[in-house]
Amino acid sequence: MISQAIFLFISGAEIGFILFIVLLVFGADKVPEIARGMGKAMRQIKDATNDIKSEITKGAEKQGIDIDITKDVQKQIDQVKDEVDEVTGPIKRKF
């Protein structure tokens, strides 16, 4: 549902029209080659971002920087839950 909103607000009919134009321009024999090339490019981009992420993580660990922000966030979430439970505890209905 969210991915539909993020994808440049393009509907299914518009995507179909774009694919039809690509088919007309490049021909049926070139479309698989183009798709394969785009798939390889996307894979290279994904690998490059993973490499960059791992290098940043290694560098941060060497410097002694805590990169695991999830622990801090989870601790704050638990603290807020406890505070909410304290406030709403006497108000809650017991079923």
Side-chain angles (χ1 to χ4, degrees):
M1 188 153 91
I2 294 173
S3 63
Q4 291 174 349
I6 293 175
F7 191 176
L8 301 175
F9 303 105
I10 296 177
S11 68
E14 292 167 340
I15 291 173
F17 182 72
I18 291 170
L19 290 175
F20 177 72
I21 297 298
V22 167
L23 185 65
L24 285 175
V25 171
F26 295 108
D29 55 338
K30 294 287 184 181
V31 172
E33 293 175 25
I34 293 170
R36 215 173 291 121
M38 288 178 63
K40 286 180 183 179
M42 290 174 63
R43 181 65 182 173
Q44 288 177 347
I45 291 171
K46 184 178 179 181
D47 290 342
T49 56
N50 287 338
D51 289 342
I52 291 170
K53 189 186 301 184
S54 67
E55 287 296 321
I56 290 172
T57 304
K58 287 178 186 176
E61 288 175 354
K62 272 186 180 178
Q63 298 296 324
I65 300 171
D66 183 24
I67 57 169
D68 192 17
I69 193 168
T70 57
K71 291 178 186 176
D72 296 332
V73 171
Q74 187 63 41
K75 187 188 299 182
Q76 290 179 359
I77 289 172
D78 291 339
Q79 183 181 7
V80 169
K81 282 182 181 178
D82 291 340
E83 291 174 1
V84 169
D85 285 341
E86 287 177 12
V87 171
T88 60
I91 300 173
K92 287 185 179 178
R93 294 183 188 175
K94 296 181 180 179
F95 292 104

